[in-house]
Amino acid sequence: MSKSGGCCKSFLHFVFDYETTKTLVVPSLAVGCFFRFTQLLVLLYAFGYVFVVQKAYQQTDSVMSTVTTKVKGFAFTNTSNMDPKFWDVADYVIPSQSVNSFFVLTNMVITPHQTQARCAELPGPSTTCVDDCDCIEGYSDPRGNGIRTGLCENYSTTARTCEVLSWCPLEIDTKLPKHPLLAAAENFTVLIKNSITYPKFNFHARNILPHINSLYLKRCQFNRTTDPDCPIFLLKHMVSEAGEEFEDMAVKGGILGIIIDWSCDLDWWAGQCSPKYSFRRLDNKNPVNNVAPGYNFRFAKYYKTPDGMETRTLIKAYGIRFDILVFGTGGKFGIVPTLVSLGAGLSFLTLVPIFADIFMLTCARKRHLYNRRKVEYLDDDAATEAVSMSTTYGTQ
Ligand SMILES: *[C@@H]1O[C@H](CO)[C@@H](O)[C@H](O)[C@H]1NC(C)=O
Ligand SMILES: *[C@@H]1O[C@H](CO)[C@@H](O)[C@H](O)[C@H]1NC(C)=O
Ligand SMILES: *[C@@H]1O[C@H](CO)[C@@H](O)[C@H](O)[C@H]1NC(C)=O
């Protein structure tokens, strides 16, 4: 009974007695210096680096953006395999509208006057035949060019292949012009209009900055050193800034990224917000395993001959697709991130005495003295003493 009554009393003491820690002052220059130096490091990191350099006092928002482009330039081609032709933007930008990108045709394989007919397949391991028995009627090979009619025909004087129902004559795309047909595209320019918003901060901007007037816009061209704000870019300049040769890229096509970085400090003391442009080739140009390189697609132009036959011109288009990638983070002072990062910094400061204690107890010259005064070992005798003391205290 009395035992449990004592327990109850000690419990009351435990709950209602105020406890405070006793401070041990260590008059050691080494330990003091270590302590202050560690504190300084923590302060430099938590408040200098995290708070000021990384701007941990700001709340952030990511950019919302829209882009329109306008390509300008003309070309004239006069090659042996094609009629002389004048090209303007409606001919070489395909399609004329697309989201955050534009495609400029630079090279092509043209197959004119195709009609729905029967013709011999292009020679290949699965298409050559000896007689009609090798060709199954109705079979369509996805890698082939049409639906087999079941006949074996002369493709040339030396090769016989299965006949197919298809758009004839078939396209032969192995003879790609080595010199890009529209090499003049390197001198084309593009005007990129980009409007952005940071919705959280109700901040709007566009890449035609307030100080640009229409006179300047008519004659300027982007140049990183002289005209870094001009939104008109020479295609060749962009490709060379990405570390590529325009003519090489134009032969088989490729994809070039136009990267617009709108990262801004939107607090009142941080200057104006302007975009930074960079360029990078996005498709993989691996010189070792260069299977299926570049970028191409097919499209056709349809017309009817005077006798009513549906005819088309098939174009396998090679070119450079420019993808415009807009990114950025806007930051502005916010009370919540400020308090959170202040709290994180302060909690780092509370770790400092732990390191100072370790230093004092293991490395300081008088560490044995400090050990004796700071650390109390509880052996068995001391434990008994402590228990008897607490009982006397309890019964008083
Ligand atoms: C196909 O070629 C063979 C041998 O080259 C020839 O004898 C034959 O007449 C040709 N057939 C047609 C339909 O031209
Ligand atoms: C592009 O323009 C430059 C300078 O006007 C000219 O020297 C060059 O030949 C042009 N490139 C092509 C492919 O026409
Ligand atoms: C940019 O301007 C500088 C100075 O006028 C000039 O030397 C340089 O060739 C220009 N760069 C391009 C890519 O036009």
Side-chain angles (χ1 to χ4, degrees):
M1 269 311 269
S2 74
K3 221 176 189 179
S4 72
C7 175
C8 184
K9 267 190 180 163
S10 343
F11 178 72
L12 284 179
H13 279 294
F14 175 76
V15 173
F16 290 107
D17 288 354
Y18 174 67
E19 293 162 10
T20 183
T21 45
K22 202 163 104 181
T23 310
L24 190 67
V25 178
V26 180
S28 155
L29 191 66
V31 177
C33 284
F34 179 86
F35 176 63
R36 291 294 174 208
F37 180 70
T38 319
Q39 246 178 358
L40 184 73
L41 281 186
V42 168
L43 278 178
L44 279 181
Y45 169 75
F47 297 100
Y49 178 71
V50 176
F51 207 72
V52 176
V53 179
Q54 295 286 312
K55 301 204 168 94
Y57 59 86
Q58 288 186 330
Q59 54 177 332
T60 57
D61 192 12
S62 31
V63 73
M64 269 171 65
S65 123
T66 180
V67 174
T68 60
T69 59
K70 193 176 281 178
V71 183
K72 285 194 172 163
F74 307 110
F76 184 75
T77 55
N78 194 0
T79 53
S80 54
N81 56 354
M82 212 175 87
D83 297 334
K85 190 175 172 184
F86 167 80
W87 298 79
D88 72 3
V89 61
D91 301 315
Y92 59 72
V93 172
I94 309 157
S96 43
Q97 283 285 313
S98 56
V99 179
N100 290 351
S101 79
F102 60 97
F103 172 85
V104 175
L105 183 75
T106 53
N107 208 2
M108 70 195 93
V109 174
I110 301 175
T111 315
H113 313 308
Q114 281 191 325
T115 54
Q116 300 255 323
R118 292 153 183 261
C119 47
E121 260 284 16
L122 303 178
S126 63
T127 56
T128 47
C129 56
V130 179
D131 57 28
D132 292 351
C133 301
D134 294 338
C135 300
I136 303 158
E137 188 181 348
Y139 173 71
S140 70
D141 180 1
R143 289 147 199 260
N145 288 295
I147 299 167
R148 288 189 185 170
T149 57
L151 300 178
C152 188
E153 288 287 331
N154 286 357
Y155 176 76
S156 61
T157 50
T158 52
R160 283 168 71 77
T161 59
C162 292
E163 189 191 60
V164 287
L165 176 68
S166 179
W167 285 97
C168 295
L170 298 177
E171 177 193 76
I172 303 168
D173 62 358
T174 48
K175 280 186 254 156
L176 180 67
K178 284 277 175 293
H179 182 75
L181 198 70
L182 269 166
E186 67 179 25
N187 285 336
F188 295 172
T189 60
V190 59
L191 165 67
I192 297 176
K193 290 201 269 186
N194 177 209
S195 299
I196 62 120
T197 301
Y198 285 111
K200 204 193 268 179
F201 310 127
N202 196 22
F203 175 86
H204 308 275
R206 60 185 201 140
N207 68 334
I208 301 176
L209 299 171
H211 67 81
I212 295 181
N213 58 33
S214 58
L215 216 70
Y216 175 73
L217 200 61
K218 279 211 172 71
R219 55 164 186 83
C220 77
Q221 194 168 88
F222 177 80
N223 182 321
R224 200 167 290 289
T225 47
T226 57
D227 295 279
D229 291 336
C230 180
I232 296 175
F233 302 86
L234 191 70
L235 300 195
K236 180 185 179 157
H237 183 190
M238 291 195 283
V239 172
S240 70
E241 279 227 345
E244 301 285 333
E245 212 40 70
F246 188 89
E247 190 153 330
D248 290 351
M249 203 166 165
V251 174
K252 292 206 162 162
I255 297 170
L256 194 93
I258 301 172
I259 299 150
I260 308 181
D261 179 5
W262 275 98
S263 291
C264 279
D265 185 340
L266 301 178
D267 282 320
W268 59 270
W269 60 83
Q272 49 161 305
C273 186
S274 66
K276 285 162 214 68
Y277 302 96
S278 56
F279 310 95
R280 175 185 292 270
R281 186 166 183 175
L282 297 178
D283 65 323
N284 189 12
K285 193 193 74 167
N286 183 343
V288 180
N289 179 11
N290 210 0
V291 179
Y295 175 59
N296 67 71
F297 59 91
R298 287 185 178 83
F299 67 96
K301 293 174 179 170
Y302 297 85
Y303 54 96
K304 277 210 164 97
T305 54
D307 55 347
M309 172 96 81
E310 191 184 14
T311 312
R312 74 174 192 185
T313 300
L314 178 67
I315 296 168
K316 184 176 183 183
Y318 295 80
I320 305 177
R321 197 179 79 200
F322 295 85
D323 287 357
I324 299 152
L325 312 169
V326 181
F327 75 99
T329 313
K332 202 169 191 175
F333 172 80
I335 193 72
V336 173
T338 306
L339 291 180
V340 167
S341 52
L342 276 180
L346 287 177
S347 72
F348 273 125
L349 271 184
T350 61
L351 293 178
V352 172
I354 298 177
F355 289 104
D357 278 359
I358 294 174
F359 177 79
M360 176 182 81
L361 297 178
T362 56
C363 306
R365 200 147 37 86
K366 295 186 186 164
R367 55 183 173 273
H368 301 295
L369 172 68
Y370 301 151
N371 249 307
R372 233 175 305 132
R373 300 304 298 268
K374 167 123 179 112
V375 186
E376 215 172 285
Y377 288 95
L378 202 63
D379 56 20
D380 247 5
D381 291 347
T384 326
E385 195 183 326
V387 167
S388 73
M389 263 179 71
S390 93
T391 20
T392 28
Y393 179 59
T395 50
Q396 261 170 9

